[in-house]
Amino acid sequence: MSTDQQHPPASALSAAGVQLNHTAVYASDRHLSAEFLAAVLGLRVGTPFGPFLPVDLGNGVTLDFYEKRDEPIQSQHYAFLVADERFDPVVARLETLGVTYYADPGHTEPGRINRLFGGRGAYFDDPDGHNMEVMTRPYTRP
């Protein structure tokens, strides 16, 4: 099979011709961080690919956890849109793991969720301090 048959042309990918395929997530322990996120979201950790440990989000995007031990991990923000019926199980898994969740990105409202844009949402930290968000409705943008 030729390369053209294996991969659709970029113009067929989306209206704009661009989609996010993967991103590297720096972690002090890639296994710990990948397993944590997979457990919270009800996903599985994939097979290592070189220095990366992927978590497949199921929409063609992977988070590729990459160990970085030579300098501090800079906190990033990752937001996950989940179906409404998956939200309560995510919050329940956070509670089971003893992870505090918050209604706001500044983490000032512990143990609460938000109801932005007619949905529900919560924020929590991963093992390296990345500010994770789970939400049931995408933000309405101007």
Side-chain angles (χ1 to χ4, degrees), residues 55-109:
V55 173
D56 186 341
L57 300 179
N59 63 343
V61 177
T62 60
L63 296 183
D64 295 338
F65 287 85
Y66 178 81
E67 263 179 43
K68 186 174 183 178
R69 295 185 176 194
D70 56 343
E71 58 187 80
I73 304 295
Q74 296 296 313
S75 177
Q76 298 292 316
H77 174 66
Y78 299 91
F80 305 96
L81 183 63
V82 300
D84 195 61
E85 63 271 9
R86 291 190 71 157
F87 185 80
D88 289 334
V90 167
V91 170
R93 287 190 288 269
L94 287 168
E95 290 173 346
T96 298
L97 293 169
V99 176
T100 303
Y101 57 91
Y102 303 84
D104 63 307
H107 295 195
T108 64
E109 300 178 60

Side-chain angles (χ1 to χ4, degrees), residues 110-126:
R112 297 181 57 203
I113 66 167
N114 65 57
R115 298 197 175 272
L116 297 174
F117 307 103
R120 297 180 293 159
Y123 296 82
F124 59 95
D125 281 340
D126 88 333

Side-chain angles (χ1 to χ4, degrees), residues 18-74:
V18 177
Q19 290 182 351
L20 180 64
N21 177 266
H22 68 275
T23 191
V25 179
Y26 291 134
S28 55
D29 180 330
R30 70 181 186 161
H31 292 281
L32 176 69
S33 294
E35 292 289 347
F36 169 82
L37 186 64
V40 169
L41 296 178
L43 302 171
R44 66 175 193 79
V45 175
T47 303
F49 180 72
F52 303 105
L53 189 58
V55 173
D56 186 341
L57 300 179
N59 63 343
V61 177
T62 60
L63 296 183
D64 295 338
F65 287 85
Y66 178 81
E67 263 179 43
K68 186 174 183 178
R69 295 185 176 194
D70 56 343
E71 58 187 80
I73 304 295
Q74 296 296 313

